Amino acid sequence: MDILQALLNGFGVAFQPFNLLVVVLGCLVGTLIGVLPGIGPISGVALLVPLTFALDMPPGSALILLAGIYYGAMYGGSTTSILLNIPGETSSVVTAIDGNKLAKQGQAGPALAMAAWGSFIAGTLSVVGLMTLGPLLAQWAIRFGPAEYFALMVFGFSTLSALAGKNMFKALIATGFGLMLSTVGQDPQSGISRYTFGLLELEDGMDFLVVAIGLFAVSEVLTILEEKTPGALRAQVGRIFLSFKDFMGSLMTILRSSVLGFLIGVLPGAGASIASFVSYTTEKRLLGARGRFGEGDLRGVAAPESANNAAAGGAMIPLLTLGLPGSGTTAIMLGALVSLGVTPGPQMFQQHPDVVWGLIASMYVGNAVLLLLNLPLVGLFVRLLAVPAWFLIPAVLAISFIGVYAVNNNPFDLLLMTVFGLLGYLMRKLDFPLAPVLLGLVLGYLMEINLRRAMTISDGNLGYLFSSPIAVVLWVLAVVSLFSPMLIARFRKQGLGGNDEL
Amino acid sequence: MTDRIVGMLVLLLAVGYALVASRMQVGFLSDPLGPRPFPYIIATLMSLSALWLLFKPDPNPTWPEPRFWLSFSLVLASLVAYAYLIVPLGFILTTTLEMTLLSVLFGARWWQGLGGALAFTLAVYFLFTEGLGVPLPAGRIFG
């Protein structure tokens, strides 16, 4: 059993004292980000990346930390949805429907416990999926040449554009804009400067962190300024418990939503938000009259919370095996890993087994840590909501400044951040999804380099891009996925939807 | 209507982007494809999507009241000023001022905002410079 041996080694990495500390830190920060409305997982991960550089973390530890924040935020997001009807994250919007009804009926304890247990089971199952499917996919993808990679990225961007927003053409524009940003700077093949307009600061290209913090964190602050959120929030948490009967009644829902969420998470573009939404509607239809969905059904909490955690695990698969992130958060992880000298891709399982298996093992640990953190300590996290917005939001912005400034020690990046903050605000207003911009920026270089390598191999013959069966399948899938919004529209008819953060 | 304006702007951006690409001077060292075609592909994708927006725009978004734009532009202007002042005035002074301004805009009294901002800024400054070894500007006018 290769996998078991590898996993054992992974636990060896995950149980190193420093990495244990990092898992707990990641889960804690993730839960906080999840609980606090206004700070999404993308901003959270982006703000913590400079810390990994500053501490000179080994790539494995950095990935453990960032992943911990990502799935930790999925746990924390449910808390305010249930207690206050204010989703901490877009992926917990659906949880508020039944969760808050339950809280109003005095059932906040069982609802919170259900969210924690569902998240734990789904999170753990998705790591099992990652562990078994990841190496298989990597072995298959190792034969990919530049033509296949280019087709794969076209497929990735077309699913992303089809699923990321309400209007596919706006998502395509966002993707194109991100790709444009990726061409800024010195062209590695011909050595000429492109789109730098004589600015030396742009010679090395746009830094993904500056763009991410501007586009997500700064624009979030501007949006909150407009919405004028209430100062401090207070909520009462009762005793957190879940009866065995309630647990068994929801077990099938948790299992089904885990599988569904995991599969949706693997797809590029369809992140945790879509997973939670699709699984809620699926369970609602499946259970029909047996469920009291919408009136306060525990399964209405179990379904989205299981699905969004499973999706977070599933999203690791394309990142680790193909080097192809499917969401804004995993795009930042890719950028951070590349900066730390590890390029994810099919070879990663062989070249950096300690990083991959250390991460996988740490996710088992992290899910257990989160269950322990969330069951007894929810009350403590909720008390954080009493921190007034007038302190919290400027403080987040101050951390953003440090993160941006630390990239190059150059104030020019702060200006760039402001520009992207303004742009992010306008894009949110006009229903342009933000994540495709980040993905375009992070992946544009790889996409172009693979296209150019393919053309070098074939001496400029375009037919080479369609010359292998895998490439042809990917091209067909890319075209098909552009029509998937019509399928999604059927789900959306329920009057729900809206997700700008994957 | 808003979407039509956005569509026009995106179209202009795409055309300008392609024009800049067409003027690139390429030496002999380049690969067969060169640095131009990828930008052309992007420009085509964006132009087509922009044209679609011109023909099928979404309903207009609800813009905030005029009063909001005052605080909005104040925030943006202060961020630009922050970028120019952080090196001469130093991280502590500029960040305290920026945080105080934002706190007031988010509903704090000025002395509350100033107190919170100063405490937080000092704490993160020493955490990052002393604890984590991240250099932050101390301020040219002080040294």
Side-chain angles (χ1 to χ4, degrees), chain A residues 392-417:
Chain A
L392 193 70
I393 293 157
V396 169
L397 211 56
I399 302 282
S400 309
F401 297 154
I402 298 179
V404 167
Y405 185 80
V407 173
N408 296 314
N409 286 328
N410 191 338
F412 174 81
D413 288 335
L414 288 165
L415 279 182
L416 210 56
M417 173 197 81

Side-chain angles (χ1 to χ4, degrees), chain A residues 298-444:
Chain A
L298 272 175
R299 285 166 297 193
V301 173
E305 285 306 311
S306 312
N308 66 27
N309 272 275
M316 292 292 164
I317 287 196
L319 173 69
L320 293 177
T321 60
L322 304 169
L324 197 75
S327 67
T329 320
T330 43
I332 294 175
M333 290 186 204
L334 174 71
L337 279 176
V338 172
S339 306
L340 291 164
V342 173
T343 308
Q347 286 95 4
M348 190 152 151
F349 276 83
Q350 282 152 22
Q351 286 174 355
H352 303 282
D354 52 323
V355 174
V356 182
W357 290 100
L359 172 72
I360 290 174
S362 85
M363 286 173 79
Y364 284 111
V365 179
N367 273 295
V369 169
L370 280 165
L371 189 67
L372 289 176
L373 276 180
N374 273 272
L375 284 180
L377 296 180
V378 170
L380 215 63
F381 290 120
V382 169
R383 227 167 278 165
L384 273 172
L385 291 168
V387 177
W390 64 256
F391 177 75
L392 193 70
I393 293 157
V396 169
L397 211 56
I399 302 282
S400 309
F401 297 154
I402 298 179
V404 167
Y405 185 80
V407 173
N408 296 314
N409 286 328
N410 191 338
F412 174 81
D413 288 335
L414 288 165
L415 279 182
L416 210 56
M417 173 197 81
T418 308
V419 172
F420 280 104
L422 172 63
L423 202 66
Y425 170 80
L426 293 174
M427 287 178 70
R428 281 175 202 260
K429 265 289 174 208
L430 295 165
D431 268 339
F432 280 88
L434 297 175
V437 180
L438 203 53
L439 280 148
L441 172 63
V442 173
L443 291 177

Side-chain angles (χ1 to χ4, degrees), chain A residues 50-51 54-55 150 167 169-170 172-177 179-183 187 189-190 192-195 197 218 221-229 389-391 393-399 401-402 405-406 409 411-412 414-415 417-418 421-422 425-426 429-432 444-445 447-448 451-453 455-456 459-460, chain B residues 2-3 6 10 13-14 16-18 20-21 24-27 29-36 38-39 41-43 45-46 48-50 52-53 56 58 61-64 68-69 71-72 75-76 79-80 82-84 86-87 91 95 98-99 102-103 105-108 112-113 116-117 120 124-125 128 132 134-137:
Chain A
L51 185 75
L55 287 176
F150 183 71
N167 183 335
F169 294 91
K170 288 187 168 175
L172 281 172
I173 291 175
T175 305
F177 182 64
L179 292 173
M180 267 186 184
L181 296 178
S182 79
T183 59
D187 172 29
Q189 303 232 319
S190 65
I192 63 162
S193 297
R194 292 190 294 181
Y195 304 106
F197 304 104
V218 176
V221 171
L222 293 171
T223 310
I224 298 171
L225 184 68
E226 181 191 337
E227 286 164 359
K228 285 266 185 279
T229 44
W390 64 256
F391 177 75
I393 293 157
V396 169
L397 211 56
I399 302 282
F401 297 154
I402 298 179
Y405 185 80
N409 286 328
F412 174 81
L414 288 165
L415 279 182
M417 173 197 81
T418 308
L422 172 63
Y425 170 80
L426 293 174
K429 265 289 174 208
L430 295 165
D431 268 339
F432 280 88
Y445 166 76
M447 195 171 177
E448 180 173 15
L451 176 66
R452 285 164 78 167
R453 276 188 198 139
M455 288 302 103
T456 307
D459 212 14
Chain B
T2 316
D3 268 9
V6 173
V10 173
L13 175 71
Y17 179 78
V20 174
M24 285 173 187
Q25 302 289 326
V26 190
L29 278 168
S30 185
D31 53 319
L33 202 62
R36 283 189 293 249
F38 191 64
I41 297 172
I42 301 170
L45 167 85
M46 283 189 89
L48 292 178
S49 311
W52 183 273
L53 269 196
K56 277 199 80 167
D58 286 343
T62 43
W63 294 103
F68 163 76
W69 296 110
S71 42
F72 184 82
V75 171
L76 286 181
L79 288 175
V80 173
Y82 183 88
Y84 280 104
I86 185 170
V87 174
F91 177 81
T95 310
E98 177 73 54
M99 272 187 76
L102 284 163
S103 300
L105 287 178
F106 277 100
Q112 279 180 322
F120 187 77
V124 290
Y125 181 79
F128 276 86
L132 302 172
V134 177
L136 292 171

Side-chain angles (χ1 to χ4, degrees), chain A residues 140-158:
Chain A
W140 180 66
I142 217 153
R143 280 167 294 174
F144 278 24
E148 285 81 11
Y149 256 106
F150 183 71
L152 183 68
M153 284 189 220
V154 173
F155 166 58
F157 279 122
S158 65

